């Protein structure tokens, strides 16, 4: 495994997901999240650092799984991978959250859409960093 590319791809995936998440949380979903304030932990902000640790671990695993299964088909492979991971992680988590907590389906649906954007961005970035090598011309 090319460790330099692995760390670069993992960092890119982490940065993309965190940047999109920050934008979504502070702009697009801010009012939705405020409506759920009664469900928040009183000391939630003191534990927020845990989400960054988990996000970094997820980015490492996201990249590792991609690298181990990659077929060298370029950006479309990253798109496909992002969709698969979204279907495997985000959709079940979103539906389970809707079933478990008193949260309207519209908030869950928005979260799923933005989650898909995050996974697509991460998948494309990892695929670009691991793009197939051009054939050597003789």
């Amino acid at each position: 495994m090319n460790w330099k590319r692995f760390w670069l791809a993992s960092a890119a995936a982490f940065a993309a997901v965190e940047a999109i998440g920050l934008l979504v949380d502070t702009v697009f979903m801010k009012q939705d999240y405020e409506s759920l304030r009664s469900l928040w932990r009183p000391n939630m902000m003191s534990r927020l650092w845990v989400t960054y640790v988990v996000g970094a671990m997820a980015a490492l695993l996201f990249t590792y799984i991609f690298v181990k299964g990659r077929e060298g088909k370029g950006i479309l492979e990253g798109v496909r991978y992002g969709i698969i991971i979204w279907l495997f992680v985000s959709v079940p988590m979103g539906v389970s959250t809707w079933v478990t907590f008193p949260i309207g389906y519209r908030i869950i649906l928005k979260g799923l859409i933005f989650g898909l954007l995050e996974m697509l961005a991460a998948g494309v970035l990892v695929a670009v960093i691991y793009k197939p090598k051009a054939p050597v011309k003789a």
Side-chain angles (χ1 to χ4, degrees), residues 7-124:
W7 290 109
L8 179 62
S10 296
F14 176 78
V17 169
E18 291 300 320
I20 293 169
L22 182 63
L23 180 66
V24 167
D25 292 348
T26 59
V27 177
F28 298 110
M29 302 269 306
K30 185 176 182 175
Q31 288 181 333
D32 295 313
Y33 291 154
E34 287 296 325
S35 74
L36 303 173
R37 196 173 194 85
S38 64
L39 300 175
W40 295 1
R41 290 179 176 274
N43 60 348
M44 180 178 72
M45 297 309 279
S46 68
R47 298 178 182 178
L48 198 58
W49 65 271
V50 175
T51 64
Y52 296 110
V53 172
V54 171
M57 289 172 41
L60 291 167
L61 287 169
F62 183 92
T63 304
Y64 181 80
I65 295 167
F66 179 85
V67 170
K68 289 300 182 182
R70 91 183 167 109
E71 299 170 347
K73 295 185 177 178
I75 292 175
L76 287 180
E77 185 175 9
V79 169
R80 181 186 68 195
Y81 180 66
I83 291 170
I84 290 168
I85 295 297
W86 175 76
L87 287 168
F88 184 67
V89 176
S90 300
V91 172
M93 189 172 72
V95 172
S96 296
T97 300
W98 177 73
V99 168
T100 307
F101 297 100
I103 298 172
Y105 74 92
R106 289 177 190 224
I107 293 173
I108 299 299
L109 186 59
K110 285 181 188 178
L112 288 173
I113 292 167
F114 289 123
L116 177 59
L117 292 175
E118 289 175 342
M119 293 302 99
L120 288 173
V124 166

